[in-house]
Amino acid sequence: MNIPFLGIRRKKQGETTPAADPEGIAELLSECDLLRSLAAREGVLLDDSARSLEALDQLVPRWRDDEEILPWLGNDAGLYLGTVTVRTVPGAQWQVWPGGRPLVRLASGREFDVVAAGHEWAANGVPELSQLYGEVAEA
């Protein structure tokens, strides 16, 4: 798959890479349709704030019994955590590695694997998304 603004495609000899589009990446990664739909059904508005992460942590995890939905929800939870972080923590930005693995890079240079964190939250409920956000925001 060739998504030029993600910069995943390998360059041919002598070819230049187009500049990455951070806003396009952020928009794409912030969709989280499954999580937003699930939250809306439970009356939780996901407004890309730290407060919305706390509300997600309070949801009854009915999805844990559905092995088909669990991995997708984990991805969305991680991407939503990353979205909140990028939008609210000064200097935080998305970093997409070759192969498409999205991470959040903090101003300090520390990288945070939000998707792995989202999978842990979806499967186990711990660590809580708001707790992870608090740790990252303080770093």
Side-chain angles (χ1 to χ4, degrees), residues 89-131:
V89 176
Q93 60 185 2
W94 284 107
Q95 177 73 44
V96 180
W97 288 102
R101 182 177 172 186
L103 304 170
V104 170
R105 180 178 293 223
L106 304 176
S108 66
R110 179 177 167 215
E111 293 177 344
F112 182 50
D113 188 345
V114 291
V115 173
H119 281 278
E120 284 294 316
W121 175 82
N124 305 312
V126 289
E128 293 181 336
L129 296 175
S130 59
Q131 176 187 355

Side-chain angles (χ1 to χ4, degrees), residues 14-93:
E15 183 180 27
T16 59
T17 303
D21 176 6
E23 290 179 21
I25 292 170
E27 184 178 332
L28 178 67
L29 297 177
S30 71
E31 290 179 359
C32 313
D33 290 336
L34 178 62
L35 181 68
R36 289 180 190 277
S37 173
L38 177 108
R41 282 189 301 228
E42 298 293 327
V44 174
L45 173 66
L46 299 185
D47 60 359
D48 301 346
S49 70
R51 193 173 46 238
S52 66
L53 293 171
E54 293 172 4
L56 282 173
D57 289 335
Q58 300 306 311
L59 292 179
V60 176
R62 294 182 181 101
W63 61 83
R64 289 195 188 128
D65 294 332
D66 188 340
E67 290 183 24
E68 189 172 312
I69 199 172
L70 194 59
W72 294 101
L73 185 65
N75 280 335
D76 275 11
L79 294 175
Y80 186 70
L81 173 60
T83 295
V84 172
T85 303
V86 166
R87 293 187 176 168
T88 61
V89 176
Q93 60 185 2

